[in-house]
Amino acid sequence: MTKAIPLSQIRRVPLAHLPTPLEDMPRLTLELAGPRILMKRDDQTGLAFGGNKTRKLEYFLAEALAQGTDTIVTLGAAQSNHVCQTAAAAAKLGLKAVLLLRGPKPDGVTGNILLDQLLGAELRWLPSGNYPLTDEVAEDTLTEIRRSGRKPYLVPFGGTNQLGIIGYIAAMEEFLGQLRDENLKAQRIVLAASSGGTQTGLVLGKKLFGYDGEIIGISVALPKEQLIAYMLALAQRTIARWGFEITATSEDFVVYDDYLGRGYGVMGTPEAEAIRLVAETEGILLDPVYTGRAMAGLIDLIRRGTFHRDETIVFWHTGGTPALFAYGQELANAP
Ligand SMILES: *Cc1c(COP(=O)(O)O)cnc(C)c1O
C-alpha cells in the first residue's frame, strides 16, 4: 500500500480567488417557501469570468510549468467554459494556448468564443462529432506542435481526471471550514454535473474530511447510470493514484437526470425561469447550460416537497455566465 499523499504536497499554481464566498439567498428562499438556500460562489473564482474549471486548472498548470511547457492545448464545445478558463490561465502564466473547439464554427463571435479570442488563444475547429471529446482528438495537434520545436501540454476534456479533481477535493475542505467558521449546518449540496469531475471531487472530499451531508448532482448531459459509472471509475482511479485511505461505491453518487430536457446545451423554459428568478431575487446570474439547469432541478425538487423546510441547502454555483450572451435571443424570447 502506498501512503496517502497530503493534498498540500500536490503541486499547485494559485490562479483562483479562494475561498470563494458562501452566501445566504434570503429572497430566493422566501420566494420558493422551502429550505434555506445558500450559494457557494465558484462563479467568482476571479480568472476571466470565473467558474469551476479554475480550481482544476491550478493543478494542471502547475504540472505543465514543472514540465517546462510553453503551449497549453485543450478541447471542448464551441461555448466551452473550460476551454475559456484554460485560455485565461495560460495568458496569466505567459503560455500560448491552442484551443480545439467542436464545430461547426458558428457565425458571429459571442460569449466564450469572444473571450477566447480576447485572451490571445489560437482557435482551431474540429469536425462536429461525438461527445465527450477524448484525448485522441488532440493527437495530431500535439504532434504538430512538437515538430515545430515547442512543448505542448494537454489539459483533458472538462479538466476532469485524477489530477484536476484534486481542486474539488480541496474545495470541500474549504467549504467545511466556512461552515465551521460561520457556525452553519448544510444537509445538502446541489450542483450541475456534466463530465462529473466536480461532483466526484466533492464526494471524495466528503469522505476524506468527514462531511455528513448529501451531494446531489443534476445531470446536464448524460443519463444517470452512465454518469454514475463514469464518476465511480474516476473516483477509483483517483483513490489509487494518490493512495487515499477511503473506498467509493456507486451509492456515494446521487444523480437526478430528470432535467435533461431536449439535451445538452439546449435551453428550455425551466432553465430560463430559473435564470430569471435568481437574477430578480438575488442579483446573481446563472448560465443557460449548467447552473440554470441545476437550479431548475432544485426549484422543482423544492416545489415537490423533497426537502424539509428546516434544512439548509447549498447551491454550488459553478460559473458559465459568458454563455448567457450566446443564448441572448432565446432568453429574451422565453416566456
Ligand atoms: C464544466 C462545467 C460544469 C460541470 O463540471 P463537471 O466537472 O464537468 O461535471 C458545471 N458548470 C459549469 C458552468 C461548467 O462550465
Side-chain angles (χ1 to χ4, degrees):
M1 277 298 289
T2 46
K3 189 91 185 73
I5 298 171
L7 294 191
S8 59
Q9 281 181 24
I10 302 174
R11 214 182 263 118
R12 166 178 168 259
V13 55
L15 295 170
H17 295 174
L18 302 179
T20 56
L22 177 64
E23 292 178 342
D24 218 345
M25 300 289 121
R27 287 186 20 88
L28 179 63
T29 300
L30 197 67
E31 184 68 32
L32 294 171
R36 177 183 181 188
I37 301 172
L38 307 179
M39 201 183 283
K40 177 69 171 154
R41 299 292 307 276
D42 275 12
D43 57 320
Q44 300 291 311
T45 47
L47 192 63
F49 279 107
N52 63 337
K53 305 312 182 304
T54 306
R55 289 187 191 266
K56 305 177 181 186
L57 286 162
E58 292 195 323
Y59 293 89
F60 290 116
L61 274 287
E63 186 175 76
L65 289 174
Q67 293 177 5
T69 304
D70 54 25
T71 307
I72 304 295
V73 179
T74 198
L75 66 190
Q79 283 295 338
S80 168
N81 302 306
H82 160 70
V83 162
C84 182
Q85 285 172 67
T86 304
K92 188 174 169 73
L93 298 172
L95 304 171
K96 189 174 156 51
V98 175
L99 313 177
L100 306 178
L101 299 176
R102 185 176 65 158
K105 181 173 188 274
D107 306 330
V109 172
T110 184
N112 280 308
I113 300 175
L114 171 62
L115 302 185
D116 296 341
Q117 291 188 0
L118 294 177
L119 293 162
E122 179 187 330
L123 278 64
R124 298 187 185 183
W125 292 91
L126 299 166
S128 52
N130 286 340
Y131 246 40
L133 296 170
T134 59
D135 288 359
E136 285 81 72
V137 174
E139 276 308 317
D140 292 349
T141 303
L142 294 172
T143 307
E144 179 209 308
I145 293 173
R146 281 191 201 102
R147 282 213 187 105
S148 73
R150 286 185 287 136
K151 255 196 122 198
Y153 177 93
L154 177 65
V155 181
F157 180 74
T160 292
N161 69 11
Q162 52 274 33
L163 180 59
I165 76 167
I166 298 294
Y168 271 90
I169 297 178
M172 177 54 90
E173 189 177 24
E174 172 187 303
F175 167 70
L176 291 176
Q178 288 175 311
L179 290 185
R180 220 174 299 120
D181 291 350
E182 292 167 45
N183 210 5
L184 291 166
K185 285 219 177 315
Q187 284 78 12
R188 292 169 221 274
I189 294 170
V190 173
L191 77 156
S194 177
S195 72
T198 305
Q199 187 172 354
T200 307
L202 292 177
V203 165
L204 294 181
K206 164 184 152 111
K207 299 194 147 220
L208 286 165
F209 302 113
Y211 173 56
D212 57 10
E214 183 177 49
I215 299 169
I216 299 173
I218 306 290
S219 179
V220 303
L222 298 176
K224 177 174 159 171
E225 293 71 26
Q226 199 179 339
L227 180 56
I228 290 177
Y230 199 77
M231 291 196 288
L232 180 59
L234 175 64
Q236 285 165 344
R237 277 202 304 280
T238 306
I239 291 168
R241 167 67 184 82
W242 303 105
F244 295 139
E245 279 143 1
I246 51 173
T247 54
T249 71
S250 56
E251 258 97 272
D252 294 318
F253 297 95
V254 180
V255 170
Y256 287 88
D257 63 0
D258 311 82
Y259 305 103
L260 293 170
R262 283 175 292 138
Y264 174 77
V266 186
M267 192 187 66
T269 310
E271 290 88 0
E273 188 209 356
I275 290 169
R276 251 180 231 288
L277 182 65
V278 174
E280 289 177 2
T281 55
E282 298 290 351
I284 291 173
L285 300 170
L286 303 177
D287 83 284
V289 180
Y290 299 94
T291 54
R293 184 162 286 180
M295 182 57 81
L298 175 58
I299 292 169
D300 181 66
L301 291 169
I302 290 173
R303 287 183 179 151
R304 287 166 185 274
T306 313
F307 310 119
H308 285 287
R309 280 195 68 157
D310 56 7
E311 284 187 20
T312 297
I313 304 219
V314 174
F315 181 82
W316 204 298
H317 192 329
T318 45
T321 46
L324 275 175
F325 301 101
Y327 288 76
Q329 207 54 50
E330 284 167 80
L331 273 162
N333 294 337

